[in-house]
Amino acid sequence: MCCSLRSAPCWLHRSLVYMAYGLLAVWTSMGWTYVTLILSHCILLYSISLVKIRWLCFVTGLCTLATFKCEPFVSWQAGFVEGDFELRHVLFYGGCGFTIMRCMSFALENCERKDGNYSILELLKYNFYLPFFYFGPIMTFDKFYIQANKSDLTRKEWEMWNISLQGLSHLGVIIVVDVLFHFLYILTIPNDLKLLKHASDWALVGLAYFNLVYDWVKAAVMFGVINTVSKLDHLDPPKPPKCITMLYVFAETHFDRGINEWLCKYVYDYLGGKHENVVEELVATLCTFGVTILWLGPCQAVLIWAFFNCFGLNFELWTAKFFSMEPFASVEMAMPEATSRRIRAIFNTFNFWCIVLYNILALNSLDFAKLVAKRLLLKGFPITTIIVMFVTYCLIQVIKERERRQALIDDPDPLPPAPPPQSAATTAAAPTAAQPVADPSKEKAE
């Protein structure tokens, strides 16, 4: 990394340097027995990938992942970690869990390869890249392989300046959040139900919302710092998660974009196809959340969270299918774009609060989620309910308008073809024969 970018060995061997550095760092922090455990999982899944049977690779990977979620396998494997320091368990589960997901990505991509197999060295380069090793995010093997082996290492103008600004901004956010959470007890208050019963409806709703904001900030900062470091190594990692305030559909709800892309590529999109068939969508979502439950660890809160999110994702498709039938489709096409967006925003308002309630269930507790739902929908009705829903409705309208404008900037409509030459008589009759032209942004609005 210190040599000139024009030198061939720099780009040719840089992935080996990343692997060697990551291997030594893991060895130093966790011990050689832990490295041996990680290598054994890599060798196992690499051996299975040589068979090139997709379902066998998937089953082997899930079974291996399950060994970190149940006894006595967890205790036995945890014994491979040397030392007794504060982050021991976090680094153990993070390194092992992400290793299995990366090895599964490698195995599935190897199954798709027509010519020969990837070498085990490519798997080790992929797995032991240190910024991604313990905490992710997961970059699928096909993307990492291309980016880690590209020869063009020139940077765009102002790229280093932008990376430096990102690093400084993340440092500033870390300091601000650390100071705020010394004075705002956002995480501890939801555990005291006696105190919450005396809190106002507004305080309870705001506390639920800020719990999700905290989790999003935590994920955004952690992945943001990792992404900034990986950009210095000429990689393009998964982006930080979308802001919780801008999530009003279940299809975009995630706090780890890397895991989300992994699940979409290998499970959800693979089984769901174009996501138009109701049965295929149901099978795809059930399998996706099945893998997610295993990844998070099966427990009551995770199972309930997965059930409601799976239902919400399918209910969105059922609703879209229902309103795409006649006469609803004709009615929507006849109405102005702004009216259509307002009607959709009403449904998205309820969606937003379903997403909030379902996720605080996983982040906090079932009792806290039930208390918030009761205050928001029953005890606070009609004053609190109507005001909260109206503010949310206005927020979603602003978000939709912003997304519509951004879509038109990212993918502008092509210029219409030039009209054929017309005679004078045809030109004179044109105003009476003119047909209504569809709004070019109608299809992009949603």
Side-chain angles (χ1 to χ4, degrees):
M1 287 185 291
C2 296
C3 58
S4 170
L5 293 179
R6 296 181 180 178
S7 145
C10 183
W11 64 262
L12 195 59
H13 302 300
R14 67 190 182 99
S15 55
L16 283 172
V17 175
Y18 298 157
M19 181 198 72
Y21 179 78
L23 193 60
L24 288 173
V26 175
W27 190 323
T28 304
S29 59
M30 302 292 284
W32 69 269
T33 52
Y34 179 77
V35 174
T36 305
L37 175 67
I38 295 295
L39 288 174
S40 66
H41 287 298
C42 292
I43 293 170
L44 171 64
L45 282 163
Y46 176 76
S47 303
I48 297 297
S49 72
L50 298 178
V51 184
K52 292 203 170 185
I53 301 176
R54 188 182 179 91
W55 68 265
L56 183 60
C57 295
F58 220 98
V59 170
T60 305
L62 294 180
C63 290
T64 309
L65 184 62
T67 61
F68 293 98
K69 307 296 178 182
C70 58
E71 294 290 352
F73 304 103
V74 178
S75 301
W76 177 70
Q77 293 183 98
F80 283 85
V81 182
E82 297 177 353
D84 187 17
F85 49 94
E86 189 176 355
L87 292 177
R88 177 175 177 267
H89 294 289
V90 176
L91 298 181
F92 168 75
Y93 286 110
C96 292
F98 281 111
T99 290
I100 301 303
M101 301 299 276
R102 283 189 289 265
C103 289
M104 287 177 68
S105 176
F106 174 88
L108 294 171
E109 293 297 336
N110 195 58
C111 292
E112 298 296 324
R113 187 173 186 178
K114 303 299 180 184
D115 271 343
N117 300 288
Y118 292 107
S119 69
I120 192 171
L121 186 61
E122 296 297 338
L123 172 58
L124 297 179
K125 291 177 185 177
Y126 172 51
N127 185 61
F128 283 101
Y129 179 64
L130 186 60
F132 296 164
F133 184 80
Y134 286 117
F135 302 111
I138 291 179
M139 181 190 290
T140 54
F141 175 74
D142 56 331
K143 294 181 180 179
F144 182 87
Y145 181 77
I146 293 172
Q147 295 177 26
N149 293 288
K150 67 180 180 181
S151 57
D152 183 16
L153 300 183
T154 57
R155 296 191 183 275
K156 299 177 182 178
E157 188 179 4
W158 298 105
E159 183 177 353
M160 282 302 299
W161 175 255
N162 292 331
I163 292 175
S164 302
L165 285 180
Q166 288 178 4
L168 290 174
S169 63
H170 289 134
L171 178 61
V173 172
I174 291 172
I175 295 173
V176 170
V177 170
D178 192 47
V179 171
L180 287 178
F181 280 97
H182 276 288
F183 300 98
L184 302 176
Y185 303 97
I186 294 177
L187 298 181
T188 54
I189 291 177
N191 298 323
D192 191 347
L193 294 179
K194 293 182 179 179
L195 174 63
L196 293 176
K197 290 179 180 179
H198 298 287
S200 65
D201 298 341
W202 295 102
L204 207 56
V205 170
L207 184 63
Y209 171 73
F210 280 109
N211 262 265
L212 286 186
V213 171
Y214 163 76
D215 199 68
W216 170 77
V217 169
K218 180 179 67 175
V221 170
M222 182 177 72
F223 292 133
V225 171
I226 295 172
N227 290 359
T228 302
V229 174
S230 60
K231 285 178 181 178
L232 294 173
D233 293 330
H234 300 274
L235 296 180
D236 184 19
K239 297 178 181 178
K242 192 174 181 180
C243 179
I244 183 63
T245 307
M246 302 182 71
L247 296 178
Y248 55 84
V249 290
F250 282 91
E252 296 183 356
T253 305
H254 54 266
F255 289 91
D256 185 339
R257 203 181 291 264
I259 290 290
N260 182 71
E261 291 178 359
W262 191 100
L263 290 170
C264 286
K265 180 177 176 64
Y266 299 120
V267 186
Y268 185 60
D269 292 337
Y270 184 81
L271 298 176
K274 296 181 179 179
H275 305 290
E276 295 176 351
N277 184 280
V278 174
V279 177
E280 289 181 353
E281 179 75 1
L282 181 60
V283 172
T285 51
L286 287 174
C287 292
T288 301
F289 280 101
V291 176
T292 307
I293 289 170
L294 185 59
W295 167 252
L296 296 175
C299 64
Q300 183 187 22
V302 171
L303 291 172
I304 297 174
W305 168 86
F307 170 79
F308 281 116
N309 278 275
C310 184
F311 172 77
L313 197 57
N314 281 278
F315 188 72
E316 283 180 351
L317 177 64
W318 302 338
T319 306
K321 283 285 184 184
F322 179 76
F323 283 103
S324 65
M325 298 187 297
E326 295 295 340
F328 303 108
S330 300
V331 171
E332 184 176 10
M333 290 303 296
M335 68 176 61
E337 175 200 342
T339 304
S340 172
R341 191 168 71 246
R342 291 188 186 102
I343 294 173
R344 288 173 179 265
I346 295 174
F347 292 97
N348 294 142
T349 300
F350 293 97
N351 241 22
F352 178 88
W353 281 103
C354 286
I355 291 171
V356 171
L357 291 173
Y358 297 166
N359 283 281
I360 62 171
L361 184 152
L363 293 175
N364 298 111
S365 65
L366 179 60
D367 294 330
F368 179 61
K370 287 165 61 177
L371 182 62
V372 174
K374 183 179 178 181
R375 290 287 194 91
L376 179 62
L377 302 176
L378 299 177
K379 189 176 179 180
F381 187 83
I383 304 300
T384 303
T385 307
I386 292 176
I387 294 177
V388 169
M389 293 300 175
F390 177 74
V391 172
T392 308
Y393 170 82
C394 295
L395 173 66
I396 290 174
Q397 282 281 37
V398 173
I399 296 170
K400 280 179 170 287
E401 178 62 21
R402 179 181 178 276
E403 291 177 345
R404 185 187 71 85
R405 294 183 180 182
Q406 189 62 41
L408 293 175
I409 293 172
D410 295 339
D411 185 21
D413 291 300
L415 295 174
Q422 298 176 338
S423 63
T426 308
T427 306
T432 58
Q435 298 295 323
V437 180
D439 184 355
S441 62
K442 177 71 175 179
E443 294 182 0
K444 290 187 179 180
E446 299 301 330

